[in-house]
Amino acid sequence: MTYDDLHPYLTECAAEAARVARGVPADRLTDPTHCPDWDVRALVNHWVLYTSHGLEHRALRKQLPEELTARDFTAEPDWAEAYAAQLDRAVAAWADPAVWEGEVDLGMAKMPAVEIASMIIKETAVHGWDVATATGQEFHVSDGAARLVLDVVEKHGDIYRQYDGFADPVPVPEDAPVFERALAASGRDPRQRAQVDH
């Protein structure tokens, strides 16, 4: 996978994440999610931190400052618009093909920039689905983006499970849509439709 393959999926998933964020009602931030021990607020803060600020910092080859990792982004009434703006900055930072070359220092290890970008696209889509499902919405991805997410989940699934990022895979039919297979491989039940009741 190269810049030409991946940047369109990065742009697509960021735009969908911004749309879903704008649809999160303020009175649902304390609702539970299917992510153990995380309410919607905790889930959204994780999503915002790594898929927008983290995404930009990886492109710039900078570490995330502690101030950001401790911030409650949802405490701001316009957090969704701020997230959308930060996503735009992050996507723009990856618009230079040169950023996709070489490695990114994560502090504890180095990984190829292409791998990092792929994993953050996965984070954007999978946690976007988590947020959408918890707040009565849906997260839409193209077949191409879904295939990328599935590839990342299958390639790195064991590592995510070591750190409790994924649960055990959920069985789904072999002919299930690609994004549903990706969600299932990450330990999510894609049949868990959005809960619109409150």
Side-chain angles (χ1 to χ4, degrees), residues 21-161:
R22 291 183 176 111
V24 174
D27 62 352
R28 297 195 72 163
L29 289 170
T30 57
D31 283 7
T33 72
H34 54 270
C35 299
D37 303 323
W38 280 9
D39 60 9
V40 172
R41 185 187 307 278
L43 175 59
V44 165
N45 279 326
H46 176 87
W47 187 44
V48 169
L49 175 65
Y50 289 105
T51 66
S52 63
H53 295 281
L55 181 62
E56 182 184 30
H57 278 71
R58 300 310 184 210
L60 300 175
R61 306 304 200 260
K62 294 181 178 179
Q63 299 296 317
L64 276 168
E66 191 171 328
E67 179 274 324
L68 280 178
T69 62
R71 183 185 297 181
D72 177 5
F73 298 100
T74 66
E76 300 297 325
D78 62 346
W79 70 265
E81 292 304 324
Y83 176 45
Q86 180 60 37
L87 281 167
D88 287 345
R89 285 190 289 273
V91 170
W94 284 89
D96 180 357
V99 171
W100 299 72
E101 303 295 330
E103 295 184 322
V104 174
D105 186 351
L106 301 176
M108 54 200 167
K110 292 183 179 181
M111 289 187 70
V114 169
E115 285 287 328
I116 291 293
S118 299
M119 293 171 77
I120 297 178
I121 293 169
K122 184 277 299 174
E123 286 280 294
T124 306
V126 170
H127 283 318
W129 181 87
D130 293 335
V131 173
T133 300
T135 58
Q137 304 182 73
E138 293 186 359
F139 194 94
H140 303 285
V141 294
S142 65
D143 286 345
R147 279 192 293 274
L148 170 66
V149 173
L150 177 60
D151 288 347
V152 173
V153 169
E154 290 182 339
K155 181 174 182 178
H156 298 288
D158 288 343
I159 294 173
Y160 280 108
R161 272 183 279 277

